[in-house]
Amino acid sequence: MEYYSFLLGLLAFFLFGRLSADADIVRFDENYEITWGYDHVLLFNQGREVQLSMDISSGAGFGSKLRYGSGFFQMRIKLPPKDSAGVITAFYLTSQGDKHDELDLEFLGNREGKPITLQTNVFADGVGNREQRILLWFDPTANFHTYQILWNQHQIVFYVDNVPIRVFKNNKNIGVGYPSQAMQVEASLWDGDSWATDGGKTKTNWSMAPFKAHFQGFDIGGCPIIQNSNVQECYSPKYWWNSEKYWKLDSKQQIELENVRNKYMSYDYCSDRPRYPVPPPECLLQ
């Protein structure tokens, strides 16, 4: 068993390091398709880079052709530059229906020169309202950066350039919902000026349109759900992200997470007493 765990860990180390390189080889249309705003989408570099644009008439989005039951999902993204207040660039996993599951990375645009906020959220059985926000410590409009979501039956981890920024543990044993439905991988660019910047006080400057976001890395490291296959199969240890190594952060990652929380977190629903006079149960376990 120890030898088997060692091999899984070694394989995971290799794959984690190779994912970005492998993603460069995969064309957009191998795993993804445009879902809306078809005339606001451009493909470059033989389909290895996608540009979504947004003007006053429409934004755009794309999604994976398959659904997944677990995995390590990532995308390299370069956000719209200059004055992007009110503009939301999103990379997320979602299921369908009223009681859907969803894992969000949403980039909330801002006036030129002001920091862009990254908001994460977790929905389970249609219940969300678990927002956390951090201010990015670099300019996400200048270059591509890698944004990642690990999802297994023990934890969900959001990463920025391999640095963990949030962990949501499986606490179903105390009645906390946890995403377990098959989900698609999606990305979009849309107008959120009713709430995205300064709580909706700062509106989209349409004179700066079209706003353009760029995406790379279309390989998908997930357990696909084919037709009526059982989601339980996606919890198998044959997938490296389900191995014990990924049931919790290691000591180095824990330090990195605490550093992000201490230096860059601007909002945490767990600390919002006007909204939650009694903290949600998962917050008491942090």
Side-chain angles (χ1 to χ4, degrees):
M1 181 61 73
E2 289 183 1
Y3 179 68
Y4 180 64
S5 298
F6 170 76
L7 287 179
L8 275 176
L10 188 63
L11 177 62
F13 175 79
F14 174 77
L15 288 173
F16 204 98
R18 287 292 302 168
L19 276 172
S20 293
D22 291 343
D24 286 335
I25 302 171
V26 178
R27 298 190 314 275
F28 170 81
D29 60 2
E30 293 182 50
N31 290 321
Y32 290 94
E33 57 191 359
I34 301 167
T35 52
W36 63 286
Y38 295 87
D39 59 347
H40 287 64
V41 182
L42 292 176
L43 273 64
F44 302 104
N45 190 23
Q46 299 178 322
R48 294 180 176 87
E49 180 176 330
V50 167
Q51 174 189 284
L52 300 184
S53 66
M54 185 186 80
D55 54 32
I56 200 167
S57 69
S58 180
F62 61 85
S64 62
K65 296 178 179 180
L66 299 178
R67 297 178 302 150
Y68 299 87
S70 67
F72 181 77
F73 307 92
Q74 66 175 353
M75 189 74 66
R76 288 200 303 279
I77 306 172
K78 184 165 67 171
L79 302 182
K82 299 183 179 180
D83 186 349
S84 62
V87 179
I88 297 177
T89 307
F91 171 55
Y92 58 105
L93 309 180
T94 186
S95 65
Q96 304 301 316
D98 293 336
K99 294 187 176 181
H100 75 295
D101 293 345
E102 185 170 323
L103 305 175
D104 292 331
L105 285 162
E106 296 176 314
F107 302 87
L108 313 181
N110 210 340
R111 291 289 185 238
E112 185 172 4
K114 292 188 175 181
I116 288 178
T117 296
L118 171 55
Q119 173 172 283
T120 58
N121 203 352
V122 175
F123 287 76
D125 297 321
V127 178
N129 298 321
R130 299 184 175 101
E131 300 92 345
Q132 289 185 0
R133 295 181 177 183
I134 65 167
L135 299 176
L136 293 172
W137 51 92
F138 52 84
D139 180 359
T141 73
N143 295 293
F144 284 92
H145 290 267
T146 304
Y147 306 95
Q148 304 140 312
I149 302 172
L150 170 73
W151 171 38
N152 59 36
Q153 272 301 287
H154 298 273
Q155 64 175 356
I156 293 158
V157 185
F158 297 88
Y159 301 85
V160 174
D161 292 332
N162 295 322
V163 174
I165 63 166
R166 180 178 185 176
V167 174
F168 187 84
K169 304 291 287 187
N170 186 340
N171 288 308
K172 292 180 75 171
N173 61 318
I174 60 170
V176 179
Y178 191 81
S180 59
Q181 302 178 54
M183 294 192 278
Q184 289 177 281
V185 188
E186 301 197 12
S188 59
L189 181 67
W190 52 285
D191 177 25
D193 79 352
S194 64
W195 64 273
T197 309
D198 300 326
K201 296 177 182 177
T202 302
K203 300 297 184 180
T204 303
N205 180 0
W206 291 110
S207 69
M208 301 300 296
F211 303 96
K212 299 175 182 179
H214 293 256
F215 301 80
Q216 296 177 344
F218 302 114
D219 188 35
I220 297 180
C223 168
I225 302 296
I226 308 298
Q227 295 180 344
N228 295 322
S229 59
N230 193 338
V231 174
Q232 297 290 327
E233 297 173 5
C234 291
Y235 307 156
S236 168
K238 73 179 181 180
Y239 297 107
W240 65 263
W241 52 82
N242 291 331
S243 65
E244 188 172 357
K245 176 181 173 68
Y246 296 96
W247 293 3
K248 63 180 181 179
L249 300 185
D250 61 29
S251 57
K252 176 178 178 291
Q253 292 173 320
Q254 191 63 46
I255 292 171
E256 291 175 332
L257 174 64
E258 291 304 319
N259 182 61
V260 169
R261 290 180 60 87
N262 292 334
K263 289 185 177 181
Y264 304 109
M265 178 168 283
S266 60
Y267 177 81
D268 182 3
Y269 76 107
C270 286
S271 303
D272 191 338
R273 288 295 166 269
R275 187 181 183 188
Y276 295 109
V278 177
E282 68 270 20
C283 297
L284 301 176
L285 300 175
Q286 291 187 354

